[in-house]
Each structure stands twice: as C-alpha cells, then as structure tokens.
Amino acid sequence: MYPRIIFLVFLISCFAGTAQSTSEDTAVKKSDEVLYDAEKAAKYGADDYGMKKYIFAFLKRGPNRTSDKEEAAKLQTAHLENIGRLAKEGKLVLAGPFFGNDDLRGIYIFNVETLEEAKELTETDPAIKAGSLVMELKEWYGSAALMAINEIAPTLAKKSIMD
C-alpha cells in the first residue's frame, strides 16, 4: 500500500498544475507568466525539475513498549522535543503520526543525503533509544517545496503540540 502512496505523491509533485517547459534552457511557464524562481530553487535545494532527495523514516512499534502511563508520557514528550530540535536544525522536514493503533506509528521525512546520516539522526530519538519505536529508512525523490513547510507550519497552529 505505501509504495503506491509514495508513487502517487511523486506523480502529483511531478505533474501538478498546467506548467509546460518550452525548452531545456527556458523557465517553466504557465501562460505568459514565468513561474520559476531561481532564488527559491536554490534555497530549497531543488534540481532542474524542482525536486530533491529526502530520506523517509517509517516509525514502527518497537519491542519495548511500557504500560506505565507516566513513563509513556515522559517518553512521548522527549520524542516530541527531539522532533522540534531536528526541525529547527533543518534536518527534519516533516513528522507525524498515522491514525489507528497498528504497528506503523508515523513518519519522518529527513533533509539529508545519506541513509547513514538519517540513521544517526533517528538514534537521537528517545523513543528509538528506549526501543518503543524502530525505524525503517528509505530514500525518496520528491518536490523541493516540502522544504517550505517548516516556515509555513507555525503560522497555522493556534496551539503547540507540546501543550
């Protein structure tokens, strides 16, 4: 199921809108309006297609789940603080839980070049250290526009997730 979702997101990011390229050296145009913004493309690390490499981390239920509610709450707080730190450092583009209570708990999308670097970052997560979560890492090619999410997200939240 997830490979199909990732492929669908890839297709949408590749073919969204009605923009057409007139030649290899010409900016993407929509009607007569030039859409390409070289400054933003450089800022977000976009290639010629407006895409870039990310590392997906699928967070899965780990073998060491605690039944102590106070301990679980402390671990969750530390997990969220780590997410915030990685986002502020520009290493984590997106994170969030999945609905339901199955073994697949959530995702991270890392802004790093290698699986090794993503692995090092996942090992900073207190929930990973505790064995409450484990991660599966996968390289992904998607829209560089995702890099803008951490600039936009704070303007949409009335409350902090940490409250």
Side-chain angles (χ1 to χ4, degrees):
M1 178 173 151
Y2 296 104
R4 283 185 272 173
I5 292 170
I6 291 170
F7 182 69
L8 179 60
V9 170
F10 173 74
L11 285 178
I12 290 168
S13 66
C14 286
F15 300 107
T18 59
Q20 297 176 348
S21 178
T22 56
S23 78
E24 190 173 309
D25 297 325
T26 305
V28 176
K29 292 185 177 187
K30 182 177 180 180
S31 302
D32 291 328
E33 178 187 357
V34 175
L35 297 177
Y36 178 72
D37 184 326
E39 187 176 312
K40 278 186 184 174
K43 178 179 178 181
Y44 299 138
D47 64 13
D48 287 348
Y49 301 102
M51 308 281 280
K52 71 181 277 51
K53 178 181 172 181
Y54 300 95
I55 306 292
F56 256 72
F58 295 94
L59 287 75
K60 298 179 180 181
R61 187 182 314 274
N64 299 330
R65 306 292 286 191
T66 183
S67 58
D68 181 281
K69 290 184 188 250
E70 188 175 314
E71 187 178 327
K74 281 176 132 178
L75 188 58
Q76 180 67 8
T77 297
H79 169 70
L80 292 173
E81 287 171 349
N82 191 64
I83 288 171
R85 179 185 61 79
L86 292 172
K88 284 180 185 170
E89 291 174 3
K91 299 293 184 183
L92 186 62
V93 177
L94 185 66
F98 290 113
F99 287 97
N101 196 25
D102 58 2
D103 286 341
L104 190 57
R105 306 303 300 143
I107 62 166
Y108 286 169
I109 301 177
F110 287 112
N111 177 34
V112 297
E113 285 298 316
T114 67
L115 290 169
E116 293 77 23
E117 188 176 359
K119 184 177 186 305
E120 288 176 17
L121 293 173
T122 65
E123 291 170 352
T124 68
D125 190 311
I128 296 292
K129 288 179 183 178
S132 176
L133 294 173
V134 295
M135 289 201 199
E136 178 184 334
L137 301 172
K138 190 77 176 162
E139 295 174 307
W140 185 65
Y141 185 62
S143 174
L146 284 179
M147 295 302 295
I149 199 163
N150 285 321
E151 295 171 22
I152 298 167
T155 68
L156 305 177
K158 286 184 181 179
K159 298 183 195 178
S160 168
I161 197 160
M162 298 299 295
D163 294 340

